[in-house]
Amino acid sequence: MSKEYVVGMTGASGAVYAIRLVQELCRAGHRVHLLLSESVWQVFTLEMGWDVLHGDLTAIPRLFELPEDADLQIHGSRDYGAPVASGSHLTAGMVVIPCSMGTLSAIANGSSDNLLERAADTHLKEGRPLVLVPRETPFNKIHLKNMLATADAGAKIVPAMPGFYHRPETMDDLINFVVGKVLDSMQVEHALFRRWGDREKE
């Protein structure tokens, strides 16, 4: 059954995790609202090698290599007219991936300075699933306190920490593990990695 999800991208390292998540959700036929922070565009250049104009939302479906029929709604950081800015708009959940420590702090303290932070706050206040994928190391005490605060408020913390029991052989295997754990947290079916106890494919 098709559902509606929100994916927020911050300027933290790890853009590829968000890209893979959006790909998986769209390929499964779900509607995705993609929220981009201002610093995402620099990360696209540094990590993905994309020469994309700042704020060119029309380039995203092509760069993400999405199918033509993908149900993707893209919103800039100040698009407060977006449906997901309001708690009256129902979704099945939201993921902030990767989640910068600045965004984590804003969510932990209820400070909504852009659409992404507002949407996260909305999911918490409405009691809807919110998954935060922090990508930072090492964590300092402030980071840990903010993670605890958001967890106490109802968010789930899924750090970008790949496992190795599935014997990854490629970079894609490592990316898929993290994204698969995020999808597990949202109760979205996938086949991105081999689970513990599953027999190895012949």
Side-chain angles (χ1 to χ4, degrees), residues 92-173:
M94 177 176 180
V95 181
V96 182
I97 178 171
C99 183
S100 68
M101 295 301 98
T103 297
L104 172 68
S105 177
I107 296 171
N109 292 280
S111 175
S112 301
D113 191 45
N114 57 42
L115 177 61
L116 192 161
E117 294 164 4
R118 166 61 185 168
D121 185 68
T122 294
H123 279 74
L124 284 180
K125 79 181 183 70
E126 298 293 338
R128 297 179 194 141
L130 174 64
V131 177
L132 306 179
V133 185
R135 216 311 306 162
E136 183 64 88
T137 189
F139 293 128
N140 65 35
K141 194 170 183 178
I142 295 173
H143 301 155
L144 295 171
K145 284 183 175 180
N146 285 336
M147 279 186 263
L148 180 59
T150 55
D152 284 344
K156 181 169 287 188
I157 309 297
V158 183
M161 298 178 179
F164 292 88
Y165 57 80
H166 62 300
R167 299 180 187 174
E169 297 179 355
T170 66
M171 185 71 74
D172 268 352
D173 291 338

Side-chain angles (χ1 to χ4, degrees), residues 39-58:
S39 52
V40 161
W41 304 95
Q42 184 176 5
V43 177
F44 283 158
T45 301
L46 292 173
E47 295 190 353
M48 306 305 298
W50 292 343
D51 184 16
V52 58
L53 292 177
H54 181 97
D56 184 7
L57 302 182
T58 63

